């Protein structure tokens, strides 16, 4: 059975530079130079009380995005490029009116997120619901909401 990899690519003098170039091009970059697409996360305050202010604190292993306060009908959003080599994961803690919830906002290891480019976390009085969109704008919803817990942490 013939190999599907061209023989010239199997020579170390060619293979290593090609591998290094591919890794550099696919690696996320704060300057936005890689070809890996951005992922956008949106935390949308859809609470019914027009005076409700939502506390949002999201972070990853490497980046703490800080504490943000989001008023009703507004959102907190950020974008990032998932790391090609390492796992990329963000989790969020939300609180308002002596209730809180914590959840994984993005995890590259989740196969459902492979073609997801926008994650919308819609915050309602009952729970936090996920809505996702791929690059074509096709939307699907996560049927496993994150319910509010009493008290604050």
């Amino acid at each position: 059975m013939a190999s599907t990899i061209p023989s010239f690519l199997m020579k170390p003098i060619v293979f290593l530079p090609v591998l290094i170039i591919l890794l550099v091009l696919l690696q996320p970059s704060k300057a936005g130079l890689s070809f890996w697409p951005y992922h956008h996360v949106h935390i949308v305050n859809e609470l019914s009380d027009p005076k409700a202010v939502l506390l949002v604190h999201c972070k990853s292993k490497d980046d703490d995005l800080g504490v943000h306060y989001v008023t009703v009908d507004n959102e907190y959003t950020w974008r990032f490029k998932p790391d090609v080599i390492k796992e990329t994961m963000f989790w969020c803690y939300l609180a308002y009116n002596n209730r809180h919830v914590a959840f994984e906002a993005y995890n590259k290891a989740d196969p459902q997120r492979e073609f997801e480019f926008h994650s919308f976390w819609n915050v309602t009085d009952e729970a936090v619901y996920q809505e996702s969109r791929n690059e074509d704008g096709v939307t699907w919803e996560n049927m496993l909401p994150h319910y509010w817990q009493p008290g604050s942490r």
Side-chain angles (χ1 to χ4, degrees), residues 76-129:
Y76 170 64
T77 186
W78 76 95
R79 72 180 190 165
F80 61 93
K81 291 188 176 192
D83 195 309
V84 176
I85 308 297
K86 301 183 296 184
E87 293 300 321
T88 302
M89 184 173 76
F90 279 91
W91 59 95
C92 293
Y93 170 81
L94 310 180
Y96 94 102
N97 199 20
N98 203 29
R99 302 189 318 175
H100 71 275
V101 64
F103 58 93
E104 200 174 84
Y106 177 85
N107 186 345
K108 187 179 102 174
D110 183 346
Q112 291 182 332
R113 306 247 169 106
E114 186 175 356
F115 298 105
E116 175 185 270
F117 291 91
H118 289 270
S119 296
F120 289 84
W121 294 94
N122 301 317
V123 180
T124 69
D125 294 335
E126 297 79 32
V128 178
Y129 299 91

